[in-house]
Amino acid sequence: MRKSLTAFVGAALVSGTALAQKVEFEQYTLDNGLHVVLHQDKSAPVVITSVMYHVGAKDEDPNKTGFAHFFEHLLFEGTENIGRGDWFKIVTANGGINNANTTDDRTYYYEVFPSNNLQLGLWMEAERMLHPVINQIGVDTQKGVIQEEKKTSYNNRPYGGLLLSIKENLYKKHPYRWQTIGKMEHIKSAELNDFVMFNEKYYIPNNAVLVVAGDFETNQAKKWIDEYFGTIPRGKDIVRTKIEEEPITEQRNATWEDPNIQIPMMITAYRTPSMVTRDARVLDMISTYLSGGRTSVLYKKIVDDKKKALQIGAFNYPQEDYGQYIIYGLPMGENTLADLLAEVDEEIVKLQKDLISERDFQKLQNIYENQYVSNNSTIEGVASNLATYYLLYKDINLVNNEIDIYRSITREEIREVAKKYLNPNQRVVIDYVPATATAQN
């Protein structure tokens, strides 16, 4: 349902073809605190084993950033019973695929195997949790990998600093203010014991949810889960304190220089509420209304009709503690960044004053119905949704009923939420411009 930054940059999971319908699942918690969710679907002979840990960039020390993302890589290095470099060999040799990803809020690992390899998938994830090998060789190797990723995906990539430019200006105290990949000087200077301690604190059963989805026998799965995960010791309880940001009460203006671009970018961003709120869903709809496709309001007006921009877009980026509502544009010809911002502001004011048309409202409803079908139409999608709704939203039943929230949103709510959050005195405006200096870290 949620438009994520991953979707924004075009990444996606590949998966099977199960038809979307009500997601049936069973859940329980082991004595060590590991929450288990089982979703049986025998429409295809595949099974996914996935573990989501409630640790992301926001859980890091401000002077030691990038650790959660580092562990996304490091925990593939090997375990006491899986040799260094053998993880991917074992998966591919058994007809599987695997991957992992990290956000500011959580880290997610998964394997997809033919259904007769469920035991292998469970054993491997239990090995990752109980017996990871964290040594100097692995740390040094992954330091090099992360440095190269930072260069190719951020420092040397056009507009690679877009999200960081927003984070640093939208947040002053909250850990959302840094990139998930962190600062390279923090990774370079980190010592082996720093990583050992981070692992012991966060990669524990009582900070995770295990999801098994696909073609499997429930009783057998439960026996293997108990055998492989049940004996893993519970970790110390994690105490989290949300860091509160002061409200933005006047427009913040900033400039960000990027040596990898020739065309400047207009960026404006608003700090918005947690993704668990109803208002976050309304903001989803507003972003779709403004820039969801070539017939959307901003694209049709600014790109097609007035030809003031090469590209224009608005997207809602909701997270566990706060969200960001981001609007960007690339000017065409002699048009300035200020010209684009004025055009965008004009449409937001219309949203704040007038109800959108019944036709546009019905179009939004249709889009979100289709997204619901799409998001629950694959085993990978269902597994990820079950983990996310349990761990971050604290309501696993949203896998089936979040669509009801979208269905219940009214045109009046769209107008009121636009009034509540999308005002000039509540935002950051960034001139993202070409530069000849070295890219910012």
Side-chain angles (χ1 to χ4, degrees), residues 120-186:
L120 175 62
L122 291 171
W123 174 74
M124 293 183 77
E125 284 302 334
E127 274 290 298
R128 194 199 308 268
M129 186 180 292
L130 179 60
H131 295 135
V133 172
I134 301 174
N135 57 26
Q136 197 63 53
I137 295 175
V139 166
D140 290 344
T141 299
Q142 294 308 320
K143 282 185 178 183
V145 171
I146 300 300
Q147 289 178 54
E148 187 61 30
E149 181 181 349
K150 182 73 182 295
K151 290 178 184 178
T152 58
S153 297
Y154 298 91
N155 293 357
N156 299 332
R157 182 178 181 180
Y159 308 103
L162 184 153
L163 189 57
L164 181 58
S165 72
I166 294 168
K167 285 169 163 279
E168 286 194 354
N169 287 287
L170 208 54
Y171 300 100
K172 300 303 180 183
K173 297 183 294 183
H174 195 281
Y176 285 164
R177 69 184 184 272
W178 57 77
Q179 287 176 310
T180 307
I181 199 169
K183 292 186 176 182
M184 287 304 96
E185 57 264 34
H186 294 169

Side-chain angles (χ1 to χ4, degrees), residues 96-117:
I97 59 172
N98 67 178
N99 214 330
N101 54 74
T102 308
T103 71
D104 290 341
D105 299 314
R106 93 296 180 273
T107 306
Y108 185 57
Y109 299 90
Y110 70 92
E111 293 80 32
V112 184
F113 279 117
S115 54
N116 61 350
N117 277 324

Side-chain angles (χ1 to χ4, degrees), residues 88 130 143 149 316 409 423 431:
F88 298 105
L130 179 60
K143 282 185 178 183
E149 181 181 349
N316 190 33
I409 291 171
N423 298 298
D431 290 343

Side-chain angles (χ1 to χ4, degrees), residues 161-349:
L162 184 153
L163 189 57
L164 181 58
S165 72
I166 294 168
K167 285 169 163 279
E168 286 194 354
N169 287 287
L170 208 54
Y171 300 100
K172 300 303 180 183
K173 297 183 294 183
H174 195 281
Y176 285 164
R177 69 184 184 272
W178 57 77
Q179 287 176 310
T180 307
I181 199 169
K183 292 186 176 182
M184 287 304 96
E185 57 264 34
H186 294 169
I187 295 298
K188 290 178 183 178
S189 64
E191 297 180 355
L192 177 61
N193 192 54
D194 295 326
F195 295 107
V196 172
M197 292 176 63
F198 195 81
N199 177 76
E200 290 177 351
K201 182 175 182 178
Y202 291 109
Y203 297 85
I204 53 179
N206 46 306
N207 194 44
V209 55
L210 165 69
V211 178
V212 178
D215 182 15
F216 63 89
E217 297 300 329
T218 300
N219 290 337
Q220 180 63 75
K222 287 181 176 180
K223 289 180 181 178
W224 284 331
I225 290 168
D226 186 62
E227 177 182 351
Y228 295 127
F229 289 92
T231 57
I232 300 176
R234 180 186 180 93
K236 294 181 181 179
D237 290 341
I238 298 170
V239 179
R240 290 183 169 88
T241 301
K242 179 183 174 182
I243 298 175
E244 301 283 350
E245 285 281 346
E246 296 296 326
I248 298 174
T249 57
E250 60 181 23
Q251 180 172 299
R252 298 176 183 174
N253 296 291
T255 299
W256 187 275
E257 296 184 350
D258 187 335
N260 304 304
I261 65 172
Q262 296 181 337
I263 300 173
M265 175 182 282
M266 178 279 296
I267 304 172
T268 184
Y270 307 79
R271 194 191 308 142
T272 53
S274 165
M275 61 189 183
V276 306
T277 63
R278 183 179 179 88
D279 284 354
R281 277 91 171 189
V282 180
L283 287 162
D284 281 343
M285 283 193 154
I286 290 174
S287 70
T288 303
Y289 171 77
L290 288 176
S291 72
R294 291 179 174 271
T295 61
S296 61
V297 170
L298 293 182
Y299 193 94
K300 190 172 187 307
K301 172 189 175 184
I302 303 175
V303 177
D304 280 353
D305 295 345
K306 294 191 174 183
K307 294 181 171 49
K308 287 191 173 185
L310 297 168
Q311 188 176 345
I312 199 82
F315 66 99
N316 190 33
Y317 183 30
Q319 297 178 273
E320 188 175 21
D321 290 351
Y322 293 104
Q324 297 81 240
Y325 192 87
I326 301 167
I327 304 174
Y328 69 95
L330 300 176
M332 178 182 287
E334 299 300 317
N335 293 288
T336 67
L337 302 183
D339 292 336
L340 296 193
L341 183 58
E343 294 287 355
V344 168
D345 282 347
E346 185 177 280
E347 294 307 315
I348 290 177
V349 169

